[in-house]
Amino acid sequence: MTSWLLVALGGALGSMARYGAGLASSRLAPDLPAGTLAVNLVGSFLMAVTVTLAGRGVLPGDARLFLTTGVMGGLTTYSAFNAEALALMSARPVAGGAYVAVTVVGCLSAGLCGRALAS
């Protein structure tokens, strides 16, 4: 049960930070998705730091869960994909590159299909 609470609390904090970034960026750059870009860049950086530190035993499992699945999961739309792609590219570069390509093309295609269906 503790794991669920850590994820929920972290997710709430990350979601509030994302909402705040969106509000701030809409004032600064109303015609650009600058808030989404900012949280994805920051979240990808923080996810890599967190996963690396956890892998070295610097962060306990609960802290990793709170920060990665919780905070970064609520904050970004990209950090988990980034962490998984980096790990796969390190272990199997061709598979990692294919994962990135299939994800980007597949998600854009799925979005186009969803928009077409809803229209």
Side-chain angles (χ1 to χ4, degrees):
M1 186 59 157
T2 303
S3 298
W4 288 92
L5 294 174
L6 289 171
V7 170
L9 178 59
L13 294 172
S15 294
M16 290 187 306
R18 180 184 177 140
Y19 180 68
L23 289 176
S25 72
S26 68
R27 292 184 191 114
L28 298 173
D31 297 333
L32 299 172
T36 299
L37 177 60
V39 297
N40 285 337
L41 291 171
V42 169
S44 292
F45 173 79
L46 292 175
M47 178 73 88
V49 169
T50 302
V51 169
T52 301
L53 292 176
R56 292 184 180 159
V58 177
L59 287 176
D62 284 350
R64 178 183 177 165
L65 184 64
F66 171 78
L67 292 169
T68 59
T69 305
V71 175
M72 295 312 139
L75 176 67
T76 75
T77 60
Y78 189 80
S79 62
F81 165 72
N82 186 59
E84 293 166 350
L86 288 173
L88 188 55
M89 290 170 86
S90 293
R92 298 175 25 216
V94 173
Y99 174 66
V100 170
V102 169
T103 299
V104 171
V105 172
C107 289
L108 287 173
S109 297
L112 288 170
C113 291
R115 186 170 63 184
L117 180 65
S119 295

